[in-house]
Amino acid sequence: TRSGAEQLGISERFLLLLISAVQCINVLDFMIVMPLGPDFARDLGIPISRLGIIGGSYTASAAIAGALGSRYLDRFDRRKALAVSLFGLVIATSLAGFAYNLWTLIAARLLAGVFGGPASSVALAVIADVVPSRRRGRALGMVMSGFAVASVFGVPLSLELARHFGWRAPFFAVAGLGLSISVGAILLLPPIRIHMSAPGQRSRIFDFLRDPNVLFTLAGTFTVMVSSFCIVPNLSAYLQHNRSYPREQLSALYLAGGSISFVVTRI
């Protein structure tokens, strides 16, 4: 039996690289907000204590949009669903660069989450559709390494952009990069309708959640994320305001942390 990539007439390796780029942009869009917190808080007059709300607004809307999207995303060609999600994410990220107070920034981040959640879901669904099960674990590991790549390169570069050109520059840079990858995904990906060939086999979210293994996995993921993000949103502000860490050296600190994350994640 031919793999999904062969049926679509596309190289599996190339497909993985493209989906990894999509995931990297999605993760970077989420990650740059928290280190930049003290920069835009100072410029927009936002209390430092509100930075966690700005970071959490994206993840809250992404979670809700992803859950709701699970009921509908299988009805569409994966390429079209990915294109709509990415273009929406690009627009929302650009709007964050035009924010002028706390509430406009929160609104932009909520909108980004509405598109970012489904974008991540569709990207992983493409892997599940196209890559045979015997290679799927490695494929998913490669795609999820986008988190580490964004940590190593994206966050330090964003901090340097903000230091030299202002906190709005990283949002516009990520939006521009996301637009390039979105166009590439539309032009280079073939229509992906493998999941639509057997509609009776479509998974349903409540059936999925009845599986004890799924619940255990979700609980484990939830625990890891909660423990991490009790700290991460306030890390930059704590270092600069409580420990007097110099802002001009912040990118080096995130580069070191991201590099360690990259190595450990792959292991």
Side-chain angles (χ1 to χ4, degrees):
T1 303
R2 295 191 304 164
S3 69
E6 291 171 337
Q7 294 178 44
L8 296 171
I10 187 173
S11 163
E12 188 176 299
R13 183 177 294 275
F14 176 76
L15 177 71
L16 289 176
L17 287 173
L18 193 59
I19 297 300
S20 296
V22 169
Q23 190 73 351
C24 185
I25 287 297
N26 198 5
V27 170
L28 183 58
D29 182 271
F30 159 65
M31 289 186 65
I32 62 171
V33 174
M34 292 171 282
L36 290 173
D39 290 8
F40 58 69
R42 181 172 54 251
D43 188 50
L44 299 178
I46 298 173
I48 293 295
S49 60
R50 297 292 185 90
L51 294 182
I53 298 174
I54 297 171
S57 60
Y58 174 96
T59 51
S61 63
I64 295 170
L68 293 176
S70 67
R71 296 179 60 86
Y72 304 104
L73 289 174
D74 281 344
R75 302 178 185 181
F76 303 100
D77 174 1
R78 300 284 194 218
R79 183 178 69 169
K80 292 180 180 178
L82 192 61
V84 171
S85 299
L86 286 174
F87 278 124
L89 184 63
V90 165
I91 292 170
T93 303
S94 300
L95 290 175
F98 291 107
Y100 55 86
N101 60 21
L102 171 64
W103 300 111
T104 53
L105 185 56
I106 287 177
R109 297 312 297 161
L110 284 170
L111 184 62
V114 167
F115 291 100
S120 181
S121 300
V122 174
L124 295 178
V126 169
I127 301 301
D129 288 343
V130 172
V131 179
S133 58
R134 65 182 180 277
R135 294 197 299 273
R136 197 169 295 151
R138 179 173 293 182
L140 288 170
M142 177 179 175
V143 170
M144 294 308 292
S145 67
F147 184 95
V149 172
S151 301
V152 175
F153 301 108
V155 173
L157 286 174
S158 296
L159 285 167
E160 286 302 296
L161 271 177
R163 188 162 70 91
H164 292 289
F165 303 105
W167 65 267
R168 301 177 192 272
F171 288 103
F172 296 133
V174 171
L177 189 58
L179 181 61
S180 301
I181 292 175
S182 302
V183 172
I186 293 170
L187 295 177
L188 299 174
L189 274 178
I192 302 175
R193 303 189 183 98
I194 297 173
H195 62 288
M196 301 170 69
S197 60
Q201 298 301 314
R202 292 178 188 165
S203 61
R204 289 178 290 273
I205 185 67
F206 293 110
D207 293 338
F208 185 66
L209 292 175
R210 289 191 185 100
D211 185 340
N213 293 318
V214 170
L215 293 176
F216 180 78
T217 304
L218 289 174
T221 304
F222 176 83
T223 303
V224 170
M225 291 301 176
V226 167
S227 61
S228 298
F229 287 98
C230 283
I231 300 171
V232 171
N234 297 305
L235 187 60
S236 177
Y238 168 76
L239 288 169
Q240 293 180 69
H241 290 270
N242 293 71
R243 308 304 301 174
S244 300
Y245 192 87
R247 168 63 179 85
E248 60 272 13
Q249 295 181 24
L250 196 61
S251 57
L253 192 65
Y254 276 90
L255 177 63
S259 300
I260 294 170
S261 174
F262 181 76
V263 173
V264 173
T265 299
R266 293 187 67 82
I267 293 174

